[in-house]
Amino acid sequence: MKIAILGTRGIPNYHGGFEQFAEFFSIFLQQKGIDAYVYCSSIHPYKENTYKNVKRIVCKDYEDKIGTAGQFLYDLNCILDARKRHFDVILQLGYTSSSIWSFLFPKNAIIVTNMDGLEWKRTKYNAMVQRFLMHAEKWAVNHSDYLISDSIGIQEYISKKYNKASKFIAYGADLFNSPDVTKIQSIVTTPYSYDLLIARMEPENNVETIIKGYLLKKGSRKLLLVGNHNGTKFGQYLYQQYNAHDSIVFLGSIYDMEALNNLRYYSNLYFHGHSVGGTNPSLLEAMACDCCMVAHDNIFNKSILGQDAFYFSDEHQLAEYLSLDKKQEAIALKIENNRNKIRNQYDWEVINTAYLDFIEKCIKEKK
């Protein structure tokens, strides 16, 4: 079996959730004796032909020269290359910049697409881009042989809008079992003396709602914000508007996973404001780090957290939770329940096996 993974910037992961999955899943496939290939951007910093025995196919990417338009050309180059390779399966992660080339996918390969989130709902896009993304979503659905949804909410949406079945397979995470407070002493001096948010600084992640709620109720803790506030206009606005408050601390981007996991572990409350998309990787990572979850009230978050979180829809609701103490017995039970979900439902071995089982089922059906 030859499987190609398309739609990411490549492996090893230097970017985000889909890249992380591509890395873990391709290595898993290779260890199972399956011929795995991952398409990689020419501007990816890693330059070897293989990574942990997974073959890297490097295609020209002009994003560093022409911006977002370069992503469309990169995906075109990947698809054109795939036409020559005789893959059994092409696993497409997302569709934003590849969907306009969907008609070029090789006819002899099975196309399986992870539909990602509701991209057209993201408020960072203007109305014209949102309209394009709605069309892109439709093209991806119509030109794929099989669909994967990484949340129940996305699965229900695809079923209702397109009358198409999709397989629910979530994202994965590893339990964090090695806390070490010394890894974060340059950032915080006392464990549990702060609350935490890790997110892209975009409106749909409800960062401002969380900040406003935090400021409604003065307390002794600080709110630490991890994310590139200089990378977006909204992030710059948030920094200018709220950085002067003593209790709001903008830490910028942190890429050291050990530091991030320890920041999560030693936080009092962890805020998850994401409101658009499927199973967000940062949500599972927080659950895996024993966080006390305070999440935005929506189907995507509730389908994962269930009763094991506190939910808010505005700053006033959020402010009510600021008196919570992570060490309370009822909260400890929620934390343990979330750890069990990671262990039993979202462990990478479970997720990788589910993907492979589904792909093998798709191949049998096609035959």
Side-chain angles (χ1 to χ4, degrees):
M1 194 194 308
K2 285 178 69 175
I3 297 179
I5 299 175
L6 187 150
T8 79
R9 287 168 169 82
I11 61 171
N13 174 31
Y14 287 101
H15 185 73
F18 272 152
E19 285 77 11
Q20 183 86 307
F21 168 71
E23 178 180 329
F24 287 179
F25 186 52
S26 62
I27 293 169
F28 172 84
L29 291 175
Q30 205 68 36
Q31 290 170 345
K32 295 287 184 183
I34 295 167
D35 215 4
Y37 299 75
V38 177
Y39 278 89
C40 301
S41 163
S42 59
I43 58 178
H44 193 288
Y46 185 85
K47 300 301 181 185
E48 302 298 323
N49 292 327
T50 61
Y51 178 72
K52 296 188 177 179
N53 296 322
V54 175
K55 300 167 189 71
R56 302 174 75 250
I57 302 175
V58 178
C59 288
K60 190 64 179 173
D61 184 354
Y62 299 94
E63 188 179 0
D64 58 333
K65 294 182 174 62
I66 61 174
T68 301
Q71 295 176 17
F72 290 84
L73 294 176
Y74 166 59
D75 281 335
L76 171 62
N77 289 334
C78 294
I79 292 170
L80 291 176
D81 182 89
R83 290 170 65 89
K84 305 179 247 178
R85 300 272 182 171
H86 305 292
F87 293 120
D88 296 298
V89 176
I90 294 175
L91 175 59
Q92 180 180 213
L93 303 178
Y95 56 83
T96 302
S97 53
S98 63
S99 58
I100 62 171
W101 315 116
S102 295
F103 65 96
L104 292 172
F105 273 117
K107 303 302 180 188
N108 60 337
I110 298 171
I111 310 302
V112 181
T113 301
N114 181 313
M115 291 301 294
D116 200 7
L118 303 179
E119 297 302 301
W120 55 269
K121 273 194 168 185
R122 297 190 186 278
T123 53
K124 67 179 179 180
Y125 298 126
N126 62 37
M128 185 173 70
V129 173
Q130 288 177 328
R131 283 195 297 273
F132 163 75
L133 290 171
M134 290 186 74
H135 287 296
E137 179 185 88
K138 184 177 180 180
W139 295 330
V141 169
N142 290 339
H143 286 94
S144 300
D145 297 302
Y146 297 93
L147 304 174
I148 292 174
S149 299
D150 70 3
S151 85
I152 297 297
I154 296 296
Q155 185 185 47
E156 291 176 352
Y157 166 80
I158 290 171
S159 176
K160 185 176 180 180
K161 183 168 183 178
Y162 298 104
N163 195 29
K164 287 280 187 79
S166 64
K167 175 69 173 177
F168 165 58
I169 309 176
Y171 194 75
D174 289 321
L175 283 174
F176 180 60
N177 293 315
S178 52
D180 181 354
V181 74
T182 65
K183 301 295 182 183
I184 58 171
Q185 283 180 337
S186 62
I187 303 171
V188 293
T189 55
T190 308
Y192 313 112
S193 64
Y194 61 93
D195 300 321
L196 183 64
L197 180 149
I198 300 175
R200 287 193 179 98
M201 298 293 153
E202 301 289 1
E204 64 266 14
N205 291 338
N206 287 286
V207 182
E208 187 168 27
T209 301
I210 292 165
I211 293 173
K212 284 181 175 179
Y214 209 83
L215 294 175
L216 281 176
K217 197 168 185 178
K218 295 287 185 182
S220 58
R221 297 193 306 273
K222 293 183 183 295
L223 173 63
L224 307 187
L225 300 167
V226 176
N228 183 8
H229 52 267
N230 292 316
T232 65
K233 287 184 179 178
F234 187 69
Q236 293 166 10
Y237 154 76
L238 290 175
Y239 184 82
Q240 292 166 4
Q241 189 77 8
Y242 299 106
N243 185 54
H245 292 274
D246 290 340
S247 58
I248 308 298
V249 181
F250 289 84
L251 293 177
S253 299
I254 297 176
Y255 297 107
D256 182 338
M257 190 56 69
E258 253 194 318
L260 283 173
N261 283 339
N262 278 288
L263 274 175
R264 293 179 178 112
Y265 182 87
Y266 288 108
S267 65
N268 183 61
L269 304 179
Y270 182 94
F271 298 110
H272 185 78
H274 294 60
S275 61
V276 176
T279 306
N280 188 269
S282 65
L283 172 59
L284 297 182
E285 287 160 359
M287 293 164 64
C289 292
D290 289 16
C291 289
C292 174
M293 303 298 302
V294 181
H296 184 262
D297 190 348
N298 62 67
I299 186 173
F300 307 111
N301 296 334
K302 280 192 162 180
S303 66
I304 302 297
L305 292 163
Q307 299 299 310
D308 299 311
F310 302 93
Y311 294 100
F312 70 93
S313 56
D314 58 39
E315 59 263 37
H316 299 285
Q317 269 187 316
L318 183 139
E320 293 174 6
Y321 298 129
L322 295 182
S323 58
L324 292 172
D325 185 336
K326 185 177 183 176
K327 296 171 185 175
Q328 292 169 328
E329 188 174 338
I331 292 176
L333 179 60
K334 291 179 185 289
I335 290 170
E336 185 56 32
N337 288 343
N338 283 330
R339 280 184 67 84
N340 286 332
K341 289 172 196 166
I342 299 298
R343 185 181 291 111
N344 300 321
Q345 300 175 49
Y346 303 111
D347 177 80
W348 274 117
E349 186 74 17
V350 173
I351 299 303
N352 287 335
T353 300
Y355 262 86
L356 180 55
D357 288 348
F358 181 63
I359 286 171
E360 289 177 336
K361 179 185 175 186
C362 295
I363 290 172
K364 286 178 184 175
E365 282 186 7
K366 275 291 181 181
K367 287 181 177 178

